[in-house]
Amino acid sequence: MRTTVAALHAELVRYDLVAWTAGNVSGRVPGEDLFVIKPSGVSYDELTPENMVVCDLDGNLVEGAHAPSSDTAAHAYVYRHMPEVGGVVHTHSTYASAWAARGEPIPCVLTAMADEFGGEIPVGPFALIGDDSIGQGIVATLAGHRSPAVLMQNHGVFTIGKDPKAAVKAAVMCEDVARTVHVARQLGEPLPIKPEHVDRLYDRYQNVYGQRSPR
Ligand SMILES: [Zn+2]
């Protein structure tokens, strides 16, 4: 899991989802009440399996020479309250965070959104770092949605997956649709997709490809 989580951070860079060190990936250790997360403040090209940090589900450091990411409490809260989740990603990716800055959900106006998110990408509450409020906001918002992504108001994106790779994919797709819907908005009002069509697209994509939603 250290190897997987370290390597997946390169995808955040490759897809231009992060500036400086503002983004992180974590992965639950199978069969253990532990997860692996990025060390705080270490640049992406310096990440190795060895300098990843292992925490328990309360966010306490269990193993590692570095302090864990400052978002560790939020990741830990998600793992504690969503046992089906095996990976969590956080970014401030540009277009998705612009929707978050307005507190506006991204409407489901693309078939790729219906496939991956099963509807709109919802907005979670404004929350300050430092306690469980970000984690609570993520879990409370995603509990009522098929979406594996939530836009935390005035902040950025958190995504979940059955494993860390699925959560990274959701973060990449979230930014992609945020950008496209933003561009569409510049020229008019995007057309909604009927709920029954959203359901059919979601069902087909999640089943045909065997990439079952984590929930
Ligand atoms: Zn953040």
Side-chain angles (χ1 to χ4, degrees), residues 128-152:
L128 289 175
I129 200 162
D131 57 21
D132 274 345
S133 58
I134 294 177
Q136 286 170 5
I138 296 165
V139 170
T141 306
L142 292 182
H145 281 265
R146 289 190 291 210
S147 172
V150 52
L151 310 174
M152 292 301 285

Side-chain angles (χ1 to χ4, degrees), residues 4-110:
T4 299
V5 170
L8 281 169
H9 283 88
E11 301 297 302
L12 304 186
V13 176
R14 187 209 316 231
Y15 288 98
D16 204 17
L17 303 185
V18 290
W20 201 236
T21 62
N24 39 72
V25 178
S26 69
R28 191 193 293 269
V29 180
E32 305 282 345
D33 287 336
L34 298 170
F35 65 97
V36 174
I37 191 165
K38 180 183 178 294
S40 182
V42 177
S43 67
Y44 295 107
D45 57 4
E46 292 170 4
L47 297 180
T48 63
E50 293 71 31
N51 65 21
M52 292 295 107
V53 178
V54 181
C55 291
D56 67 21
L57 298 192
D58 292 316
N60 300 309
L61 178 72
V62 171
E63 198 175 281
H66 295 76
S69 162
S70 52
D71 296 304
T72 295
H75 289 247
Y77 190 94
V78 173
Y79 290 121
R80 281 206 306 282
H81 290 85
M82 302 180 94
E84 71 280 19
V85 169
V88 178
V89 172
H90 174 50
T91 81
H92 301 159
S93 66
T94 305
Y95 284 88
S97 297
W99 288 84
R102 296 195 306 276
E104 185 178 0
I106 305 174
C108 187
V109 293
L110 297 165

Side-chain angles (χ1 to χ4, degrees), residues 17 93 95 110 112 170-181:
L17 303 185
S93 66
Y95 284 88
L110 297 165
V172 171
M173 299 303 285
C174 178
E175 178 64 6
D176 186 54
V177 300
R179 184 174 59 229
T180 305
V181 179

Side-chain angles (χ1 to χ4, degrees), residues 182-203:
H182 172 88
V183 170
R185 269 279 183 84
Q186 308 312 299
L187 295 171
E189 196 56 36
L191 304 173
I193 301 174
K194 288 179 185 167
E196 62 265 35
H197 291 159
V198 172
D199 287 348
R200 278 173 56 186
L201 287 161
Y202 181 73
D203 197 52

